[in-house]
């Protein structure tokens, strides 16, 4: 591995090197995070979920979540990346209505807002772990797509086979 070197100019959105130059330090930071092993397990292991620049830090309590987030913020800072407090939120998923009553979590100089739902990789997650809103959203999206091409289906200029392919 080479010595560190300063980067003076950023890359343009869509540049072919952007994903690689982002993924190298972010994966390094994620591997360095010492996740608190208290609480939540999925598939038998404790989780820190990461996909591109979306990172989910899971914890069995607000205290554990805060510890894991502090560790993640420190690890990313060491690699030169910065966590955006404006884009970072937290959510307590529990059937207990009184769980995680704290409205914001403060780490360093950043305050992370508590939310009741958020969208992760195109799927809406709620604090009650309910899928009914996600199903309704997908039905609305499908209906909107269907209605956007409905005039093509009623057109006499297109063959039946082409209409079937469109559908």
């Amino acid at each position: 591995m080479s010595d560190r070197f300063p980067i003076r100019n950023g890359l343009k959105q869509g540049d072919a090197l952007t994903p690689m130059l982002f993924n190298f330090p972010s994966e390094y930071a994620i591997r360095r995070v010492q996740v608190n092993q208290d609480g939540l397990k999925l598939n038998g292991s404790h989780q820190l979920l990461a996909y591109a620049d979306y990172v989910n830090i899971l914890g069995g309590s607000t205290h554990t979540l805060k510890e894991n987030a502090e560790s993640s913020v420190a690890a990313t800072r060491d690699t030169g990346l910065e966590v955006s407090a404006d884009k970072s939120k937290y959510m307590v998923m529990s059937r207990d209505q009184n769980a995680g009553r704290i409205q914001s979590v403060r780490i360093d100089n950043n305050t992370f807002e508590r939310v009741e739902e958020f969208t992760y990789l195109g799927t809406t997650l709620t604090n009650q772990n309910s899928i009914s809103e996600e199903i309704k959203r997908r039905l609305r999206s499908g209906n909107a797509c269907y209605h956007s091409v409905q005039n093509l289906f009623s057109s006499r200029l297109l063959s039946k086979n082409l209409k079937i392919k469109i559908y």
Side-chain angles (χ1 to χ4, degrees):
M1 193 182 256
S2 72
D3 293 334
R4 289 183 180 214
F5 56 90
I7 298 174
R8 293 182 185 86
N9 294 325
L11 296 171
K12 294 188 185 320
Q13 187 77 21
D15 189 296
L17 283 177
T18 301
M20 289 179 62
L21 292 177
F22 176 79
N23 286 340
F24 287 144
S26 60
E27 181 164 339
Y28 177 77
I30 287 167
R31 289 180 186 270
R32 288 190 54 221
V33 171
Q34 298 298 314
V35 176
N36 181 328
Q37 300 297 311
D38 176 40
L40 192 62
K41 286 186 179 184
L42 296 176
N43 295 328
S45 65
H46 295 85
Q47 296 291 318
L48 177 73
L49 306 176
Y51 179 79
D53 60 345
Y54 296 102
V55 177
N56 279 348
I57 302 167
L58 307 177
S61 67
T62 306
H63 175 73
T64 303
L65 176 83
K66 184 175 179 183
E67 284 182 356
N68 292 344
E70 286 172 345
S71 178
S72 298
V73 167
T76 56
R77 186 182 318 111
D78 290 346
T79 63
L81 297 176
E82 187 175 311
V83 174
S84 171
D86 295 335
K87 295 180 181 180
S88 301
K89 313 284 183 228
Y90 84 97
M91 181 175 72
V92 176
M93 293 178 79
S94 173
R95 291 187 178 104
D96 179 8
Q97 292 292 331
N98 297 321
R101 288 190 161 221
I102 302 170
Q103 291 302 309
S104 62
V105 171
R106 186 160 181 82
I107 299 172
D108 291 339
N109 295 328
N110 298 319
T111 301
F112 301 102
E113 174 191 358
R114 179 180 177 185
V115 295
E116 303 297 316
E117 68 177 37
F118 71 96
T119 302
Y120 180 69
L121 300 179
T123 301
T124 302
L125 303 170
T126 66
N127 64 344
Q128 296 295 310
N129 206 14
S130 170
I131 62 168
S132 61
E133 288 302 315
E134 176 63 15
I135 291 170
K136 289 177 188 175
R137 185 187 68 79
R138 290 183 185 202
L139 286 171
R140 284 191 304 269
S141 178
N143 285 337
C145 288
Y146 175 77
H147 289 295
S148 70
V149 294
Q150 191 173 16
N151 61 344
L152 293 175
F153 293 141
S154 60
S155 172
R156 295 181 188 269
L157 299 173
L158 300 178
S159 70
K160 182 178 177 181
N161 288 339
L162 186 55
K163 291 177 186 179
I164 290 171
K165 285 182 181 180
I166 293 171
Y167 185 75

